[in-house]
Amino acid sequence: MKGKGATRLKSSKESSGLLFNWVKPVSIGVTVLSLMFAVVILILQVANKDIKNLEIIAAFQYMTESDIKSELIGDFPNGYISLDVQKIHERLISIPMIAEVSVEKVWPDTLRITVQEERPVAIWNDSSLLSQAGDILPVSFESLNLPKLKGAKKDSRLVMQHYLLFNRWSKRHSLSLVGITKSTSGWLIESKSGLKIWLDGADAMSGLKQLESVIEQFQLARISSIDLRYEQGFAVAWKTEPENVQG
């Protein structure tokens, strides 16, 4: 009986020793992890210093710094790590008058925003402006000396594309383009000299190519309008002669 009791006591001590040997490294590991976590938290607290300085780089013509700052409400100021520059970039680039924008954090406490405004190139339907990409810009056009483009709202990009093509053609012939209109009647090009050119709505450029081949034969200063919407030839209206001349 004594022998059996001694055996049980020895077995209990061995079990306690094994448990202690297992718990000790776990405890050390937990302690090390806790220290590492505390260090990381401390580093984050130091690195996440508040960004309070705002640096806006832009040559504003249609917008102001206040417009930019109003878009940052709720996101700025914030901590260096907490501040989401991608979110700010997405909010700013969605503004119609902004063409390009870069947003960056500058250590230790500055947010730098570089803005490039859209450049209006034409007045759209006498009520707004168009960018070179054909986007409608909600900006006042008063006192702006820009060509006037007209058409359906959904066609703003198409009209701008044709304006760029027509404008290059006009410059080659020393014509200053002041407006174009897209309607069910076709394309109407208007120049500063008063010359009006009508083109087919479905194939405007072929009409200009046709005119290109004979334009040197005309004194454009004497012409009031040229209509190229005919299947064969074209019609010319002269400023000094009331009749149309079939081309």
Side-chain angles (χ1 to χ4, degrees), residues 16-101:
S16 298
L18 289 173
L19 179 62
F20 178 77
N21 290 337
W22 179 80
V23 170
K24 185 176 180 180
V26 172
S27 177
I28 293 173
V30 170
T31 301
V32 171
L33 289 174
S34 299
L35 289 173
M36 291 176 63
F37 181 76
V39 170
V40 170
I41 293 297
L42 180 61
I43 292 174
L44 289 176
Q45 289 177 343
V46 173
N48 201 36
K49 183 177 180 180
D50 286 346
I51 294 183
K52 296 182 178 180
N53 295 323
L54 179 60
E55 181 181 350
I56 299 177
I57 303 173
F60 287 122
Q61 186 174 355
Y62 304 99
M63 299 182 64
T64 66
E65 287 195 4
S66 296
D67 296 327
I68 303 299
K69 291 177 180 178
S70 65
E71 289 294 324
L72 302 181
I73 296 175
D75 292 314
F76 177 86
N78 207 331
Y80 192 88
I81 294 178
S82 305
L83 188 65
D84 189 343
V85 294
Q86 182 61 31
K87 182 180 179 181
I88 291 176
H89 179 274
E90 291 173 357
R91 289 178 63 176
L92 294 178
I93 200 64
S94 67
I95 298 175
M97 280 308 301
I98 292 183
E100 295 181 13
V101 61

Side-chain angles (χ1 to χ4, degrees), residues 105-239:
K105 294 182 281 190
V106 182
W107 180 263
D109 58 0
T110 299
L111 177 66
R112 179 180 295 157
I113 299 175
T114 305
V115 176
Q116 180 178 327
E117 286 184 314
E118 286 281 9
R119 296 181 59 186
V121 297
I123 296 171
W124 176 243
N125 286 333
D126 293 326
S127 61
S128 53
L129 297 174
L130 281 185
S131 70
Q132 187 165 332
D135 296 323
I136 299 175
L137 308 176
V139 180
S140 172
F141 60 86
E142 295 179 6
S143 75
L144 293 180
N145 185 24
L146 296 173
K148 295 184 177 182
L149 311 187
K150 297 180 180 180
K153 184 177 180 179
K154 63 180 179 63
D155 291 330
S156 63
R157 292 179 179 271
L158 178 65
V159 173
M160 176 53 67
Q161 291 170 1
H162 279 74
Y163 163 74
L164 296 174
L165 293 172
F166 296 161
N167 195 40
R168 284 197 290 269
W169 183 90
S170 298
K171 287 181 177 179
R172 289 204 305 271
H173 300 287
S174 301
L175 294 173
S176 179
L177 194 155
V178 296
I180 66 171
T181 299
K182 181 184 184 299
S183 68
T184 55
S185 298
W187 291 94
L188 172 61
I189 303 176
E190 299 179 79
S191 70
K192 189 175 182 180
S193 66
L195 173 64
K196 296 181 179 180
I197 301 175
W198 280 99
L199 300 168
D200 182 72
D203 196 7
M205 295 311 297
S206 66
L208 286 182
K209 289 180 180 178
Q210 179 186 4
L211 182 59
E212 186 87 26
S213 63
V214 297
I215 195 171
E216 298 300 330
Q217 301 175 24
F218 296 103
Q219 295 179 358
L220 294 180
R222 295 181 53 207
I223 297 177
S224 173
S225 67
I226 302 174
D227 193 338
L228 294 134
R229 293 173 294 179
Y230 296 90
E231 291 186 6
Q232 299 293 330
F234 54 89
V236 176
W238 302 87
K239 290 180 179 179

